[in-house]
Amino acid sequence: MLCRSRKIGKGGMKVTLWSKLLPSITSQFSTKSLVLIPIAVGINLIGGTLCSTLKLPLFMDMIGTMVIACLSGPWVAALCGLLTNVFLAIVANPVYLPYALSSVLCGLAVGYMVKAGLLKKLWGILLIWLVYSAVNTVAASMITVFVYGGATGLNGTSILTAALTVAWKNILIPVFSSSMLENLIDKGITIAIVAMIVNKIPRRFVSQYASENIGTKTANFKPIKADVDSHGYDLESILADLREGKSSNADASSLLSDAEMNERLLKADSVHDVPGAMGKANPLVKFLGVLLLGLAALAWPDFTLGLVIVVLLFVLAWRAGCLKAFSKLMFGFGMPMAIMLMFIQGLYSPKNTTVIADFGFAQLGLQGVLYAAKIVVTVLVFLGSFYIANKTTYIGSLVAALTQIGCPSKLGYLVFASLNVVPQMQRKTTVIRQAQSARGLATGGGLVSRFKAFLPLIGPVVMSSLTDAQERGMTLETRGFGVKGVRRTSYVKVPWTSKDAMALWLLVGLFALILVLSILDRTGTLSVTYPWGGVR
């Protein structure tokens, strides 16, 4: 086991592997590294956006994760990959959330290989490419098969998977084959771009991080120090001096009283208020409801409960005032996914024993159709409930609620900063693209010319973002971000009401009841589902 201890020396002192591993992990999460994480999340998103804009058949959505793996270490890269998928789930599509496991594993794999010095040599870069592609292929394929049944919609990968399924008469092999093909191409180009970017990063900047792992010589440069906690500053006395107007740079007449400050904060928070009962509910109750509803649909033996929950979600969306956007998301994602899964699972699922239609080249099986229907409605329950919870929740309130129950304030900063930094980087990318186009950069034409335009666009975005990260880190440290041993306060207060408690107990009770009924039905003790053609 990981935490197994062993005795060493005459004194019988116990040393655990975990006690050695934990300091090496926590040491990677300095303030400078934490500031880099939202920037790296933004780079991941910008890489994917540029590929979409240039119409490149690539993803390029892990450039930031690899850059931060080179600079800060494997565990920081793993957290960056996790937050990237969380951000995509919040602003784009919740279908990205399960793939966070793949991003975390890729960040760890690349980070430890870079830490071993493999990025310094050509054969090491080739090894990183192969391992990176293999890890992402295995993890993503397992998620696609066991979570989504083999397809996530009408995209290029799913269509290729469907074509290979016809040839192989199997689901697992086509998913692995199509994923491996796209990963070898995409991750190979990603590693080449990251290697070029890392070599172009200024040595003074790299000297603050793990420069020895990437082959950068920084002997003539000293790391820039901006750690407030290392200087022993008394944050409470500084704040007290500012309140009393003792600072030489502070104008006492411009300082606000507590009442004036609270009034301004209430006005600022009112901008983010969402009307209705859903908007007033505690964010933790809403997102716990997302989890419990999805698990209930997953635990139920067939698709009927999930279908009922989906109908109720449409009612909630109407009450929340987002029915049009909600319907567009549910039908836009659900219909293509249903078509692909009915084709893959209905025709080629190994579970098929009851034939309901014979097309000559393949037979449509009842078991595969029912399995596809269950996967579709379960995913739609997660998707729809997450969308409604996200639309009716101010992210600042969610972060405040998490910190109120004991979550680290730095974790709250990472979530909130990622949601704020990414739009800023998107605007910066637009400006850079327009500037490069004005200088004669061709972003159209054939595939080769469009790919040549990618690096002149992503390069300036990465370099300018790293400069912003350095300035942001120094600003945070001078404001006490790294100070330890002081009581943290929050501008946003999230109340816990009796209605929240009632909703929480209602959700937990319904989930427990559904879980018990599902177990009884599966064991044959009590029949609670309809036997579709004799199939239960």
Side-chain angles (χ1 to χ4, degrees):
M1 292 179 62
L2 184 62
C3 296
R4 184 173 57 194
S5 61
R6 57 186 178 87
K7 294 183 178 181
I8 61 174
K10 297 181 179 179
M13 182 177 59
K14 291 185 177 181
V15 179
T16 63
L17 179 61
W18 179 250
S19 65
K20 290 184 177 181
L21 182 62
L22 185 59
S24 66
I25 295 175
T26 56
S27 64
Q28 297 176 22
F29 291 92
S30 63
T31 299
K32 293 185 286 290
S33 295
L34 289 174
V35 170
L36 272 181
I37 292 176
I39 300 296
V41 171
I43 294 173
N44 287 339
L45 272 292
I46 295 303
T49 302
L50 286 177
C51 282
S52 177
T53 302
L54 298 174
K55 297 185 170 94
L56 295 174
L58 301 169
F59 296 102
M60 297 294 183
D61 55 355
M62 294 192 72
I63 293 178
T65 302
M66 287 203 61
V67 170
I68 203 172
C70 296
L71 293 176
S72 298
W75 290 97
V76 180
L79 182 57
C80 173
L82 173 64
L83 288 177
T84 298
N85 285 78
V86 171
F87 181 86
L88 284 171
I90 292 175
V91 303
N93 195 329
V95 74
Y96 290 104
L97 194 57
Y99 291 99
L101 176 62
S102 174
S103 300
V104 169
L105 293 177
C106 288
L108 290 174
V110 173
Y112 276 110
M113 286 189 290
V114 171
K115 190 175 181 180
L118 296 182
L119 197 65
K120 300 177 183 179
K121 300 179 180 180
L122 179 59
W123 66 266
I125 295 176
L126 294 176
L127 181 61
I128 293 175
W129 167 47
L130 295 176
V131 174
Y132 185 17
S133 300
V135 170
N136 196 63
T137 296
V138 173
S141 298
M142 298 297 283
I143 294 170
T144 301
V145 171
F146 294 105
V147 176
Y148 297 112
T152 56
L154 281 173
N155 50 49
T157 304
S158 295
I159 294 174
L160 177 60
T161 300
L164 292 174
T165 302
V166 174
W168 285 89
K169 311 297 184 189
N170 184 277
I171 297 176
L172 194 60
I173 295 177
V175 171
F176 271 89
S177 301
S178 58
S179 181
M180 177 60 79
L181 178 62
E182 68 181 9
N183 272 291
L184 285 173
I185 299 173
D186 182 75
K187 301 308 181 275
I189 298 175
T190 298
I191 291 175
I193 291 175
V194 169
M196 288 187 286
I197 289 176
V198 169
N199 287 329
K200 296 294 183 181
I201 296 177
R203 288 179 292 170
R204 185 178 295 277
F205 184 89
V206 176
S207 66
Q208 304 172 62
Y209 300 92
S211 58
E212 70 278 2
N213 296 331
I214 57 178
T216 304
K217 297 179 180 179
T218 56
N220 297 328
F221 296 96
K222 296 182 179 180
I224 300 173
K225 299 293 184 182
D227 297 324
V228 173
D229 53 343
S230 64
H231 296 283
Y233 293 151
D234 185 359
L235 183 61
E236 293 294 337
S237 62
I238 294 174
L239 294 176
D241 290 343
L242 289 175
R243 174 68 66 184
E244 297 173 7
K246 294 181 180 179
S247 173
S248 59
N249 296 325
D251 183 5
S253 62
S254 65
L255 294 176
L256 299 175
S257 65
D258 291 338
E260 291 172 330
M261 179 65 75
N262 289 334
E263 182 180 357
R264 289 197 178 189
L265 292 175
L266 288 174
K267 288 182 179 180
D269 291 339
S270 64
V271 177
H272 306 287
D273 289 343
V274 180
M278 286 293 296
K280 296 178 181 179
N282 190 286
L284 298 181
V285 174
K286 286 186 279 189
F287 282 95
L288 180 62
V290 173
L291 178 62
L292 293 179
L293 288 176
L295 291 178
L298 181 64
W300 196 251
D302 63 8
F303 67 92
T304 52
L305 178 63
L307 186 60
V308 171
I309 296 176
V310 168
V311 174
L312 293 177
L313 289 176
F314 273 93
V315 177
L316 278 178
W318 170 66
R319 295 286 297 173
C322 58
L323 180 60
K324 184 177 180 180
F326 179 80
S327 302
K328 183 178 179 181
L329 173 67
M330 296 291 278
F331 287 109
F333 177 79
M335 293 300 293
M337 184 181 184
I339 293 173
M340 294 302 300
L341 286 182
M342 287 297 176
F343 177 83
I344 295 175
Q345 294 289 341
L347 297 180
Y348 300 104
S349 174
K351 300 179 180 179
N352 288 336
T353 56
T354 305
V355 178
I356 58 177
D358 192 342
F359 299 105
F361 67 92
Q363 294 177 330
L364 185 65
L366 178 60
Q367 289 80 3
V369 170
L370 294 177
Y371 181 64
K374 179 175 172 56
I375 291 177
V376 171
V377 296
T378 302
V379 172
L380 289 180
V381 168
F382 276 110
L383 175 70
S385 57
F386 189 92
Y387 179 84
I388 295 175
N390 179 46
K391 282 296 182 182
T392 58
T393 302
Y394 170 48
I395 298 299
S397 299
L398 175 60
V399 173
L402 290 173
T403 54
Q404 284 176 200
I405 63 173
C407 288
S409 58
K410 291 184 177 181
L411 178 61
Y413 163 79
L414 291 177
V415 176
F416 200 67
S418 298
L419 294 171
N420 285 278
V421 167
V422 172
Q424 297 173 10
M425 293 184 64
Q426 289 176 333
R427 290 191 292 270
K428 182 183 297 185
T429 303
T430 301
V431 172
I432 292 175
R433 187 174 69 248
Q434 293 174 349
Q436 297 287 51
S437 298
R439 293 169 182 167
L441 179 67
T443 58
L447 179 62
V448 176
S449 62
R450 282 183 277 124
F451 178 74
K452 288 181 179 178
F454 181 82
L455 192 58
L457 292 175
I458 194 66
V461 172
V462 175
M463 296 301 179
S464 60
S465 299
L466 293 179
T467 302
D468 293 343
Q470 186 177 27
E471 295 175 354
R472 187 185 295 266
M474 297 178 69
T475 302
L476 285 174
E477 286 292 7
T478 55
R479 294 179 179 178
F481 184 77
V483 174
K484 300 178 181 179
V486 297
R487 183 177 58 88
R488 302 281 180 177
T489 59
S490 175
Y491 283 153
V492 180
K493 298 295 183 182
V494 181
W496 179 266
T497 65
S498 58
K499 292 182 180 179
D500 294 324
M502 187 183 303
L504 177 62
W505 283 111
L506 179 62
L507 286 169
V508 173
L510 287 176
F511 175 73
L513 177 61
I514 290 170
L515 188 61
V516 170
L517 293 176
S518 300
I519 295 174
L520 293 176
D521 185 89
R522 292 178 185 275
T523 57
T525 306
L526 178 66
S527 177
V528 295
T529 57
Y530 179 77
W532 303 93
V535 178
R536 300 191 61 83

